[in-house]
Amino acid sequence: MLGNFSYSNPTKLYFGENSLDYLSGELAKYGKNVMLVYGCGSIKKSVLYDKIIKNLKDCGKAVFEDGGVMPNPTVEKLNDGCRIAKDNSVDLILAVGGGSVCDYSKAVSVSAYCGDDPWEKYFIRFEEPTCKIIPVGCVLTMVGTGSEMNGGSVITNHAQKLKIGHVFGDEVFPKFSILNPVLTYTLPKYQMVAGIFDIASHIMEQYFSGTDDNTSDYLAEGLFKSLVESSLVAVKEPENYEARSNIMWIATWALNTLIAKGKTTDWEVHMLGQAVGAHTDATHGMTLSAVSLPYYKYILPYGVNKFKRFAINVWGVNPAGKDDKAVALEGLKEMEKWMKKLGVALSLSELGVKAGDIEGIADSTLVMDGGYKILDRAGIVEVLKASL
Ligand code: NZQ
Ligand code: ZN
């Protein structure tokens, strides 16, 4: 394990079919005013909205609703949410939805009282909050981002063509998250598989870096294998509880800081994907799937041993009689076959990107320095062109 680190995760999880039963116990810990945050309508197509409202009323809460949080929440929406939170002196923000709703709620929690422009402060200058932070609780309905147990918050600024994430500290993690796999059954297949690839990408971002023998990498391989197994069941049987519950649990552990401990990490695929998102507003997981294979083929020569290990340990490639690079490439070929079975985007053109958009997307791409190869401008453009 590299370096010195501490580990704790402050989010309390309630997992399983009956996990919503624990909401009232959590609500009792906070004051009367609750801001109920949700997305663009899915919550009202099931009984979930009614159940949550009843729960809140039974607990004697005053409810201030903030619906309409769009996928890839925007800075304009964030400013509106801050007004609702502040005007009503909310004591708790209850996020009911996917990563966008959870991320947005965290952004509101640190921005309502920040006394500054939150976009500039947190997403451009990457400063930490010094103001009052409103506690957040989550009821998760879409699986993938890990936002239910981390400090991440990603906000999009369409005017500036930037989509940027800030990873906040422990004090911004949700205080509790309710994870009921059954709530994810209603997800359209497109969203389900996008979420599955998002999980895969989170694992790979933390795996494809470093050359040391590291326990975090073994954890990552185990999570990835379980994801492949369960995802192939879930695409055929969306209401298979065993598969959907495994996927939900893998998503949480793939990005709750555990598998990044004591190692270097990359995150360049996310920087490319977020730049694509800033220009297209495409679904997050699909932006990642579209650029991943070209990116990994580009950096593979600089990290052959790890890609070989991935091929053997995750995809069961037999290395006998083959050179290292051939084994490594076979692993990526196996991953491509899996991606095709899922039905995720394999090119940027599927997301509406045209050749003329590449330079602009490259302008919006941040460069990370933890992976096997630090991309320069030419490298970014080459990967994006190969992804078209
Ligand atoms: O808005 P509604 O109507 O609720 O519909 C949503 C939305 O259209 C729908 N949905 C959610 N639960 C559903 C459902 N539809 C039917 N049944 C349900 N049970 O799904 C669509 C997508 O939801 P969204 O929350 O946008 O998806 P996701 O969870 O993938 O979140 C994406 C956002 O999270 C950020 C992404 O960049 C993106 O902005 N990320 C956050 C991270 C973090 N906090 O650490 C890390 C990730 O890498 C990611 O960047
Ligand atoms: Zn992601």
Side-chain angles (χ1 to χ4, degrees):
M1 305 299 284
L2 301 179
N4 303 299
F5 58 86
S6 66
Y7 183 75
S8 71
N9 190 309
T11 305
K12 179 157 189 177
L13 299 179
Y14 297 95
F15 192 95
E17 283 177 90
N18 299 328
S19 49
L20 201 58
D21 295 351
Y22 295 90
L23 179 60
S24 49
E26 284 296 330
L27 291 176
K29 298 178 186 169
Y30 301 93
K32 193 173 163 48
N33 296 343
V34 177
M35 177 162 157
L36 174 61
V37 178
Y38 51 89
C40 296
S42 72
I43 187 184
K44 290 190 175 163
K45 288 192 188 133
S46 70
V47 290
L48 185 58
Y49 174 81
D50 294 335
K51 272 192 185 169
I52 299 272
I53 291 285
K54 181 170 179 338
N55 229 306
L56 287 162
K57 297 283 179 203
D58 288 350
C59 292
K61 304 294 181 186
V63 182
F64 302 95
E65 293 195 32
D66 183 13
V69 177
M70 60 294 279
N72 312 318
T74 62
V75 67
E76 291 82 7
K77 179 73 184 162
L78 170 60
N79 292 334
D80 289 347
C82 290
R83 268 191 295 279
I84 298 175
K86 208 172 163 192
D87 289 353
N88 299 292
S89 305
V90 306
D91 300 302
L92 174 73
I93 301 175
L94 183 62
V96 184
S100 294
V101 169
C102 299
D103 278 20
Y104 166 83
S105 297
K106 285 182 241 175
V108 171
S109 85
V110 293
S111 303
Y113 296 99
C114 85
D116 199 343
D117 176 343
W119 172 255
E120 289 291 327
K121 179 177 170 69
Y122 297 126
F123 299 94
I124 298 293
R125 301 199 301 270
F126 286 102
E127 290 171 12
E128 295 312 318
T130 48
C131 60
K132 171 180 164 182
I133 297 169
I134 305 168
V136 173
C138 303
V139 177
L140 198 66
T141 66
M142 149 103 199
V143 170
T145 64
S147 189
E148 66 276 13
M149 204 186 192
N150 70 34
S153 176
V154 183
I155 297 295
T156 298
N157 186 322
H158 287 296
Q160 294 180 13
K161 293 224 178 300
L162 289 173
K163 180 178 182 186
I164 297 182
H166 186 132
V167 181
F168 292 99
D170 282 14
E171 68 284 6
V172 186
F173 280 48
K175 300 291 176 223
F176 64 89
S177 283
I178 290 175
L179 309 182
N180 177 354
V182 176
L183 294 181
T184 69
Y185 287 177
T186 52
L187 271 173
K189 184 184 176 226
Y190 189 84
Q191 294 298 340
M192 178 183 79
V193 298
I196 289 168
F197 195 81
D198 192 20
I199 304 168
S201 180
H202 296 160
I203 299 171
M204 291 189 285
E205 297 273 34
Q206 296 165 96
Y207 180 80
F208 287 121
S209 44
T211 51
D212 54 319
D213 181 46
N214 192 303
T215 301
S216 290
D217 288 332
Y218 293 87
L219 293 172
E221 287 166 356
L223 290 172
F224 209 109
K225 284 167 80 165
S226 180
L227 180 67
V228 172
E229 196 75 26
S230 288
S231 63
L232 293 174
V233 176
V235 284
K236 292 208 178 97
E237 299 168 42
E239 300 201 3
N240 184 308
Y241 183 83
E242 190 173 65
R244 297 305 286 266
S245 59
N246 283 338
I247 294 168
M248 193 168 222
W249 195 232
I250 300 161
T252 302
W253 286 91
L255 196 52
N256 69 358
T257 76
L258 176 75
I259 66 166
K261 287 298 168 194
K263 74 180 303 288
T264 52
T265 57
D266 183 356
W267 294 107
E268 193 57 44
V269 167
H270 270 65
M271 296 306 107
L272 291 158
Q274 285 174 201
V276 171
H279 285 255
T280 60
D281 208 23
T283 297
H284 172 64
M286 297 304 190
T287 65
L288 306 175
S289 62
V291 300
S292 284
L293 288 167
Y295 174 72
Y296 287 129
K297 282 180 195 156
Y298 185 83
I299 67 163
L300 183 143
Y302 307 93
V304 172
N305 287 341
K306 195 59 159 292
F307 283 94
K308 179 184 170 191
R309 175 177 161 172
F310 182 64
I312 296 168
N313 291 358
V314 173
W315 298 104
V317 172
N318 179 358
K322 299 167 196 158
D323 70 30
D324 290 351
K325 194 170 175 198
V327 177
L329 282 168
E330 212 176 312
L332 291 186
K333 200 77 211 150
E334 290 300 318
M335 184 163 87
E336 185 173 357
K337 284 187 208 159
W338 171 66
M339 291 166 77
K340 284 184 176 156
K341 283 184 198 158
L342 292 184
V344 293
L346 285 165
S347 69
L348 288 174
S349 44
E350 289 169 60
L351 306 177
V353 175
K354 307 261 181 306
D357 302 326
I358 295 292
E359 292 294 331
I361 295 173
D363 289 341
S364 305
T365 305
L366 306 185
V367 175
M368 306 303 279
D369 61 5
Y372 290 122
K373 170 87 181 139
I374 300 175
L375 293 189
D376 56 13
R377 171 80 187 198
I380 293 171
V381 170
E382 190 174 327
V383 170
L384 289 171
K385 280 188 177 159
S387 307
L388 260 182

